[in-house]
Amino acid sequence: MSTRGILLAALLVGGCNIITPYKMDIQQGNVVTPEMIAKLQLGMTRSQVRFALGTPLVVDPFRNDRWDYVYRYMKAGAVTEQRLFKVHFSEDKLARVEGEGVPAALNPAPAGKPAVPAAPAAPAAPPEQPIQKPVTGGWNLSFNDRRPV
C-alpha cells in the first residue's frame, strides 16, 4: 500500500469522529405565558379555563379534577427547559393553580389555616441530562429518555 493510500485511509477514519448527526430543536407541550395566567380567576368553568390556556396536554382519566399543562424544549438532544403547570377543579370550577409565576390569589389557603406568604424560590437545579447510549444499529425508539434503552 502506498503512502497516499495510508494517508487517505487515516483521513477517512479520522473524519468519522468529526461528523455527527443533526439534532433538531424540539418544542413539545403547552406554553403557558404570564398573560394567560392573568386571565384565570377562581370559580371559572372548565370551558373558560380551556379558552384561556388551551387544551391541556395531559388529562388524567383517574383524576378528573386536575389538568396538567406540560412544556418541554430540547435543543440538540438535551432538555434545556421544562415546565409543569397544574390546574385543579372542584365541582367543575377552578379551585387552585400550581406552577411557575402563579399569583397568590389563585392558591387559596386550606380551610382552618392562615395564608402564609410564599418563601423565595430556591435557585433552579440544572436540568437532568438524558441517559445516552451509543447506537449499535437499528432504530432507537425510546420515548422515555430517563430509562436506558
Side-chain angles (χ1 to χ4, degrees):
M1 190 174 225
S2 70
T3 307
R4 283 187 184 169
I6 294 173
L7 182 60
L8 180 62
L11 287 175
L12 288 176
V13 171
C16 291
N17 294 334
I18 296 172
I19 300 173
T20 59
Y22 175 72
K23 294 183 180 179
M24 61 189 283
D25 299 345
I26 300 173
Q27 180 178 352
Q28 294 177 315
N30 305 86
V31 178
V32 178
T33 64
E35 292 81 21
M36 297 165 90
I37 296 172
K39 293 178 185 176
L40 295 177
Q41 296 175 0
L42 294 178
M44 292 175 82
T45 63
R46 290 178 186 258
S47 61
Q48 290 172 326
V49 172
R50 185 178 280 123
F51 182 77
L53 299 178
T55 304
L57 185 65
V58 179
V59 178
D60 189 351
F62 301 107
R63 265 192 223 144
N64 291 329
D65 62 340
R66 184 175 106 184
W67 289 351
D68 293 331
Y69 291 84
V70 181
Y71 174 73
R72 187 175 190 184
Y73 183 71
M74 293 177 64
K75 188 170 184 122
V79 176
T80 58
E81 185 176 353
Q82 185 168 343
R83 291 186 240 158
L84 176 61
F85 189 78
K86 298 177 187 177
V87 179
H88 296 269
F89 294 95
S90 177
E91 299 175 6
D92 286 338
K93 302 284 184 186
L94 181 63
R96 183 169 47 104
V97 178
E98 295 177 20
E100 186 178 316
V102 176
L106 292 175
N107 283 325
K113 291 186 178 180
V116 178
E128 294 182 24
Q129 295 298 320
I131 298 172
Q132 296 180 356
K133 293 181 84 174
V135 177
T136 57
W139 292 90
N140 184 3
L141 296 176
S142 172
F143 295 102
N144 184 355
D145 60 352
R146 295 177 190 260
R147 181 177 55 91
V149 178

